[in-house]
Amino acid sequence: MMKKVLFFVACLLACNSLMAEDLMVNSPNKKMRFTLHTGKTLKFSVRAFGRAAIDPTKIDLQVDGKYLGAGAKIANSSIKEHQLSETPVVPVKFETVDNHYNELTVKFKSGIQLIARAYDAGVAYRFVLDKKGSVIINNEVFDFTLPGNPKVFFPTEESLISHYERYYEVFNMKNILAGTFCSLPMLNIVAGDLHVGLTEADLFDYPHLFLESNGKGQLVSKFPHVVKATVAEKGELGDRNEIITEEADYIAKTAGKRSFPWRVFPIAEEAGDLIEGNLVYKLSTPSKIKDTSWIKPGKVAWDWWNANNLYGVDFKAGLNNETYKYYIDFAANNNIPYVILDEGWTKSTTNIKEYAKDINVEELVKYGNERGVGLILWALWGPLNEDIAGTLDLYEKWGVKGIKIDFMQRADQDMVNFYEEVAVLAAERHLLVDYHGAFKPTGMEKTYPNIVNYEGVKGLENNKWSDEVTPTHNVTLPFTRMLAGPLDYTPGAMDNAHAQNYMIRFDRPMAIGTRAHQAAMFVVYEAPLQMMADSPSNYEREQKFTSFIAQMPTTWDETKVISGEVGEHIIIARRHGNDWFLAGMTGAEGMETAVALDFLKDGQYEAEILTDGPNAEMAAIDYLLKTKSVSKADELNIKMVNGGGFAVIFHKK
């Protein structure tokens, strides 16, 4: 009898092994391998640089109440190599993008497909559905499993209602308490040196992915459900904060024939390679805007952070035409193409079709046009959502160049659709879009390149009310939040102090770190629409420094990370046209280094070099600015203090 039982068990195991199948795809350089494990459950794993990067991770899609991946049988599969050359409308990192990958496509008899891509810089996968009509997506399973007990840079969230401006807490994976959850992107360091990021791309008509610890060293998927009803929060913030009172029991209702978002894993041995990988751009849908000639990125003179604090003028500064004309004059004098009219220009925060009594937008537009400066208008998302087309028609009639939309605070399917609707309608009216109070970018800015920035970052505005924006945080962001795309950090603070001298001041804010640390942000942080956050009066007092940062471009033809460690330092070189720009930032500890200039092309360059001054360890505002002639054969000896930095502009002779 025992022999029969053993024989029966052996047959079962043999049948299961026949049903289960592993399908693999390697990157072009063979250093990345994505493996799909099929059978009773659907899982994937990743090896990178000869070792485990992601352990078997369960994935699935629940459609109309049924999980389609569990036990699904393979109909067919294929692997193809793709090599494309793309020219971005808005070159955030490169003027030409080499999109080279190997792609595995697996079709299951259940009507679902899985597509996986292996790049030299990481891997990605997505589900594809082929069903008639509309479907309900009840859930998407993603049980993120990493080898060992990796170090995790974890953007903890307290609620799914959030501005997604997070400080990256550092944990070991197995120490994250059950129920603790985060937004994306996140970063993990596996086996001491393997950097494994996670974000998402090409996300439309679908909620954002969050991850929640199960307390067992694993992170599981968490999604906002479809919102059915909300009420305004009671109190003075009721114009912008809402409470969800009713949700559906599903995460999306959508078309049955569609692709779902890419789950994106940038992977690198060197932290800086994460930045150069550019995976979100490569995985996103190309531009749907036919005529993009009107899309002009650039810098913005910003009013809100500095609370319109002008001084040395012969009028009362504030929310009035005199103040904004001064901002326009400042922008024109420094070749800054835009001025933003932030909160306060409207008759009320909910009446965004009329301007306040001391503001005349059409007069300011005319004044700006005469000086080559365009205006961008701030608006709350709720009032805009009541009449998107009508409001944008009015702004187009006034002649403004763009809109900054604020306080979205959600990442569910309907909110994602709001972002797309605004982008489409704004593009039809030749308006740029800056999403503030926003979730992270997911590549929609490639599809609609009039989207020129997103916030979704704990940036400089937090200095008005907290001490959390530290140099360590600042040099964590390039390797974490910036993996998703552009970030509206809003640099340029002129009142600089080390932590022991820092004070929280809402109306006259300052920043932690040196003046050179702030200057470096204009090269390090990717932001096609880049704010200059401080007061024109402060900038004009130090015109030498202002002229230096004002000439920094906001788009880049080439990007090369020289060195970097998450939370410790970054040194990066970028090219715009014939000129090169080099910058570095440090966290809690300073550093001295020699930077080889071999990234330069042949010939001589005049280098404008801005560094921490000799007294910057005590007085964070201290900096030096000098010029010298250099070539690619030279190197620069750089010293950065704690919370320090440097920036260099190389003009081709």
Side-chain angles (χ1 to χ4, degrees):
M1 180 68 177
M2 180 62 68
K3 289 182 179 179
K4 291 183 178 179
V5 171
L6 291 174
F7 178 76
F8 178 69
V9 170
C11 288
L12 281 178
L13 291 173
C15 290
N16 283 337
S17 65
L18 288 171
M19 289 175 62
E21 185 177 352
D22 287 353
L23 299 105
M24 294 174 288
V25 59
N26 291 312
S27 61
N29 67 2
K30 306 290 194 293
K31 292 184 179 180
M32 302 281 170
R33 174 178 291 177
F34 178 100
T35 302
L36 181 67
H37 311 279
T38 67
K40 186 176 179 180
T41 60
L42 201 59
K43 296 183 178 181
F44 79 94
S45 61
V46 179
R47 289 184 64 80
F49 305 100
R51 54 198 186 276
I54 302 173
D55 278 350
T57 290
K58 182 180 176 181
I59 56 176
D60 209 336
L61 195 66
Q62 188 182 20
V63 181
D64 292 332
K66 182 180 180 182
Y67 285 103
L68 299 183
K73 296 181 180 180
I74 297 173
N76 57 68
S77 65
S78 63
I79 294 177
K80 292 183 180 179
E81 182 177 11
H82 299 264
Q83 188 160 15
L84 312 170
S85 181
E86 301 183 44
T87 303
V89 174
V90 177
V92 177
K93 296 178 190 284
F94 301 100
E95 62 181 336
T96 302
V97 175
D98 179 20
N99 199 349
H100 187 196
Y101 58 90
N102 291 326
E103 183 174 85
L104 167 69
T105 301
V106 184
K107 294 183 179 180
F108 294 93
K109 293 180 180 178
S110 60
I112 197 172
Q113 296 181 43
L114 184 136
I115 300 176
R117 290 184 183 176
Y119 292 86
D120 292 348
V123 302
Y125 78 87
R126 79 188 318 175
F127 286 115
V128 177
L129 201 58
D130 186 16
K131 289 185 174 292
K132 294 180 180 179
S134 63
V135 294
I136 296 293
I137 307 300
N138 307 95
N139 187 30
E140 181 183 339
V141 176
F142 175 72
D143 295 347
F144 196 31
T145 309
L146 293 165
N149 189 18
K151 185 178 182 179
V152 181
F153 292 86
F154 197 80
T156 309
E157 296 282 355
E158 289 78 39
S159 169
L160 293 176
I161 300 296
S162 171
H163 293 294
Y164 312 111
E165 302 172 18
R166 312 315 299 171
Y167 189 82
Y168 278 82
E169 298 184 81
V170 182
F171 298 104
N172 288 108
M173 180 72 83
K174 292 180 180 178
N175 296 338
I176 305 176
L177 296 176
T180 306
F181 71 96
C182 73
S183 50
L184 299 179
M186 66 174 297
L187 178 66
N188 312 273
I189 301 182
V190 175
D193 66 346
L194 196 61
H195 298 76
V196 180
L198 170 59
T199 191
E200 50 191 339
D202 213 35
L203 191 157
F204 294 95
D205 194 31
Y206 201 75
H208 281 232
L209 169 66
F210 295 77
L211 294 177
E212 184 172 54
S213 172
N214 63 6
K216 301 176 182 179
Q218 192 178 51
L219 301 175
V220 300
S221 54
K222 181 184 182 75
F223 290 94
H225 284 216
V226 167
V227 175
K228 299 183 77 173
T230 65
V231 296
E233 180 183 293
K234 292 182 179 180
E236 62 180 351
L237 297 180
D239 62 342
R240 63 198 65 194
N241 292 352
E242 62 181 3
I243 299 170
I244 296 174
T245 57
E246 186 180 0
E247 293 180 319
D249 61 355
Y250 51 86
I251 65 173
K253 183 176 182 180
T254 188
K257 291 181 182 293
R258 61 159 295 174
S259 300
F260 292 87
W262 290 103
R263 307 300 172 211
V264 186
F265 308 90
I267 304 174
E269 290 183 298
E270 299 292 334
D273 291 341
L274 295 169
I275 298 171
E276 294 184 32
N278 208 17
L279 287 186
V280 170
Y281 178 87
K282 293 177 181 180
L283 288 159
S284 296
T285 299
S287 175
K288 292 184 177 181
I289 302 175
K290 292 182 179 180
D291 174 20
T292 59
S293 60
W294 57 273
I295 298 174
K296 305 292 184 185
K299 282 202 175 64
V300 184
W302 186 31
D303 58 341
W304 185 84
W305 189 77
N306 60 77
N308 299 92
N309 267 314
L310 300 178
Y311 53 89
V313 297
D314 60 358
F315 57 87
K316 180 69 173 176
L319 296 167
N320 54 53
N321 266 26
E322 291 89 346
T323 297
Y324 283 115
K325 286 181 178 180
Y326 195 95
Y327 273 81
I328 291 169
D329 288 339
F330 164 75
N333 292 338
N334 289 280
N335 296 312
I336 298 168
Y338 301 108
V339 167
I340 197 160
L341 275 63
D342 213 291
E343 182 172 2
W345 74 267
T346 57
K347 191 169 185 179
S348 71
T349 54
T350 55
N351 180 356
I352 61 174
K353 292 183 178 181
E354 296 183 70
Y355 31 83
K357 64 183 180 67
D358 294 325
I359 299 285
N360 186 317
V361 173
E362 290 161 289
E363 180 183 333
L364 291 173
V365 167
K366 182 176 183 294
Y367 189 84
N369 287 342
E370 292 169 353
R371 289 154 180 79
V373 177
L375 297 189
I376 295 172
L377 300 180
W378 173 93
L380 289 174
W381 87 273
L384 177 63
N385 193 41
E386 292 175 6
D387 183 13
I388 301 174
T391 303
L392 298 185
D393 281 342
L394 181 64
Y395 293 174
E396 180 189 23
K397 179 183 176 183
W398 287 349
V400 303
K401 301 298 184 183
I403 52 172
K404 175 183 176 180
I405 310 169
D406 208 350
F407 282 90
M408 281 74 80
Q409 300 184 93
R410 286 167 34 196
D412 53 86
Q413 180 187 21
D414 286 344
M415 185 58 74
V416 170
N417 291 342
F418 168 79
Y419 278 53
E420 184 177 15
E421 183 180 6
V422 169
V424 170
L425 295 175
E428 291 172 357
R429 293 154 179 82
H430 288 192
L431 294 172
L432 304 177
V433 180
D434 176 18
Y435 288 119
H436 209 67
F439 52 56
K440 67 185 179 298
T442 60
M444 192 182 290
E445 69 277 8
K446 178 181 177 180
T447 313
Y448 303 103
N450 60 317
I451 303 174
V452 282
N453 218 344
Y454 296 75
E455 192 186 18
V457 63
K458 186 179 282 293
L460 197 72
E461 71 174 29
N462 286 266
N463 288 92
K464 291 168 74 76
W465 54 79
S466 83
D467 59 2
E468 292 185 323
V469 180
T470 64
T472 297
H473 171 72
N474 293 338
V475 293
T476 299
L477 293 175
F479 309 101
T480 52
R481 165 59 181 81
M482 210 164 76
L483 293 180
L487 70 170
D488 199 7
Y489 179 98
T490 68
M494 297 292 282
D495 195 349
N496 317 101
H498 293 296
Q500 64 270 25
N501 301 315
Y502 174 76
M503 292 184 292
I504 298 171
R505 303 185 310 210
F506 189 85
D507 288 332
R508 297 189 67 83
M510 60 196 309
I512 306 174
T514 69
R515 179 71 62 78
H517 189 82
Q518 290 287 315
M521 293 176 180
F522 288 95
V523 178
V524 173
Y525 293 157
E526 295 165 356
L529 192 72
Q530 180 67 280
M531 308 281 177
M532 286 177 62
D534 220 315
S535 164
S537 298
N538 287 342
Y539 286 130
E540 288 169 339
R541 283 182 67 187
E542 298 193 47
Q543 189 59 49
K544 181 174 67 170
F545 178 85
T546 301
S547 296
F548 182 83
I549 62 171
Q551 63 182 302
M552 299 286 193
T554 65
T555 57
W556 307 102
D557 298 330
E558 198 170 341
T559 294
K560 179 178 176 61
V561 180
I562 307 299
S563 68
E565 292 294 339
V566 186
E568 296 180 11
H569 84 278
I570 183 169
I571 299 175
I572 191 168
R574 301 188 192 266
R575 180 178 62 82
H576 182 90
N578 291 323
D579 294 336
W580 279 87
F581 300 78
L582 174 70
M585 299 163 62
T586 55
E589 296 183 8
M591 66 180 292
E592 294 187 46
T593 187
V595 181
L597 304 183
D598 52 2
F599 54 84
L600 297 174
K601 308 303 181 187
D602 292 334
Q604 291 294 119
Y605 291 79
E606 181 181 74
E608 294 182 64
I609 306 168
L610 190 149
T611 60
D612 288 326
N615 299 298
E617 285 183 285
M618 292 296 293
I621 61 172
D622 190 37
Y623 70 92
L624 285 177
L625 182 59
K626 61 183 180 180
T627 61
K628 66 183 294 187
S629 181
V630 299
S631 72
K632 65 186 296 183
D634 294 322
E635 63 180 26
L636 291 181
N637 294 312
I638 298 294
K639 179 180 179 180
M640 293 181 278
V641 303
N642 61 299
F646 75 95
V648 187
I649 302 173
F650 300 92
H651 298 289
K652 190 75 164 63
K653 289 186 177 180

